[in-house]
Structure formats: structure tokens, C-alpha cells
Amino acid sequence: MINATLLDFAFSLSGLNDMTTKHRVILFSLTLLCYFVIFLVNGGLILMIVLEEKLHEPMYIFLCNLCVNSLYGTVAFYPKFLYDLWSKSHVISYTGCLLQVFLIYTYAITDFSILALMAYDRYVAICRPLEYHSVMTKNRVVLLVCFSRLVPVFWESVHITMTSKLQLCGSHIDKLYCENWAILKLSCSSITAHNIVGYIITFFYFGHDVFIVFSYVHMIKSAVKSREDRRKFMQTCVPHLLCLLNVSVAMLFDVMYARYGSVSVPQGVRNFMAIQFLLLPPLLNPIIYGLKLTQIRTRLFSLCSNNKQGLG
């Protein structure tokens, strides 16, 4: 039995095998490039929304919050992973492991909260257009943004506090990063209470998806009534649905594989399954919105044309 409260206790991560380390230069270069692109597209969209007054609207504020969350989540994984690619021993301290779990999990469930807010914003804009400005006031938008960040922090604080009290019978995590379920499997005692809390959190955020689906049912009913509503739906709701599908599928794969995946699956496939929600949503979401939303696309083209004129 291991007392997990000891400061010198560490977990060993075994996601990187011998085949992976043989190609560490290529993997390091690709990972660094991917992290740079994630930082570039999300950071660029954040700056554009902050600096452009025309984009200081609820939908773009929520989108900015989504991009900030992507940077928040990826910083919990990529720097440590890049370091491990060059390190011979892949270990992480107990405190560092719990911190990584907290950051990655709050990132993941905050994405669902923000996407739910974006669905609510589009519902009000399309189904209740005359009430939009009275409903989506600045104070309410600030309150909703705070709610989308603080509730996930509360849930994960409860989860991590419970995990930190466990007595562990091992220190080996068969993954590229720390994961709460992997730590729970090392427990010497019953984890029934942890499973109950986990299911509560899962159903709570599944409720977000149900809310989004119902809001879109109402929006589709409203959109078919007029050409203007159809235009609004195609411009702002389609990218939101693509982002929701992107996040949901990535998270579903990770959760299902973590609990029910087979060890016979090749290590490379397992690694991709484990990190796709840290790769695909942060990379694709800002690109989807940047290409689809008219105001962002127009502003982007305007900046590009101004730069060309300046160079000329």
C-alpha cells in the first residue's frame, strides 16, 4: 500500500514505448508544430475578437471564451508531453499528476458549458429576436461566462479532493498523461463513491447536450419560416453544431476507451485515442468558426488585404 500523500511519491507514465522513442525527433517536431498552430489560431481569434469592437457581441464573447479554454486545456498536456519525448524516464509527481487531471478535466467539461451557452444565445437570436438585447445583456453574459467556468471548477475540485484521499496500491499509469480513472484503478479500497460522483458529473453534462438538442429543434422550426432565419441558422448554428460534434465525439471516444478499451489495441492507436480531444477540438473549432462566421471572415480578409497593401 502506498501513502499517496507523500510529497516524494510519483507516477510512471508508460504511453511512450520503444517504437515511439525511436521516432522522437519526428514526433517532437509534429507535436511542437501542432501546439504552435493551436496557439496561433486560438490566440489570433481571441485577439481579433478583443480588438474589434464590432465583435463585442455575446456570440463572439462566448467564442472567445471557447478559444481561451482551448489554450488552458492544451497547456496542461503539450509542454509535459514534449518534455517526455526527450526524457528517458517518464514520471510525474503526485501533486503534478492531480494538477494535470484537474486542468484537463475542467477544460473538457467547460467546453460543453460554453457550447451550451452558445446554443442558448442562438436560440434567443433566432426564436426570440425582438427580446434578444433585453435577454442577452452585458451583465447576463458576464454571469453566464463565469458560470461556465466556475461550475466545472467546483465539480472537479470535489472529484480531485476525493481522489487525493485514496490509498494507492500502485504507481503505474498506462497513458501519456494523468487521468482520474487511471488513478482510481490503482486504489486499494472501494471506489464506489467516486464512480457515483463521476456518473453525476457525466449526467449533468449530458444534460447540456440534451438542452442543446432541444434548442436546435426549436431553432430549426423557426428557421424554416423565413429566408432571414435560415440565413442566420446556416451562418452561426452550423459551425456550432460542427464544434459540438467535434467535442462530443472526441470526448466519447476517450471516456469509452479509458473504461472499456482493449489492451490488445496497438500503442499508437491507444495514444491517439487518448489525446484526440486535446488535439482535434482546439485545432478545428477556431478554424471552423473563422471560415464560417461572416464577420470574422470579413475582418480576417480585411487584415490580410491591408497587410498586402502595406508590403506593396
Side-chain angles (χ1 to χ4, degrees), residues 2 22 48 62 124 157 175 184-185 210 256 271-272:
I2 300 171
K22 287 180 181 178
M48 187 180 298
F62 295 146
V124 177
S157 295
K175 224 169 182 184
L184 294 181
K185 289 194 293 186
V210 173
M256 295 301 291
N271 287 343
F272 177 75

Side-chain angles (χ1 to χ4, degrees), residues 103-132:
L103 293 176
I104 290 177
Y105 276 56
T106 50
Y107 147 75
I109 59 180
T110 297
D111 258 8
F112 283 104
S113 296
I114 298 170
L115 290 171
L117 293 183
M118 296 173 81
Y120 176 68
D121 174 75
R122 292 300 85 201
Y123 165 76
V124 177
I126 293 175
C127 299
R128 300 161 58 189
L130 298 179
E131 304 173 37
Y132 182 77

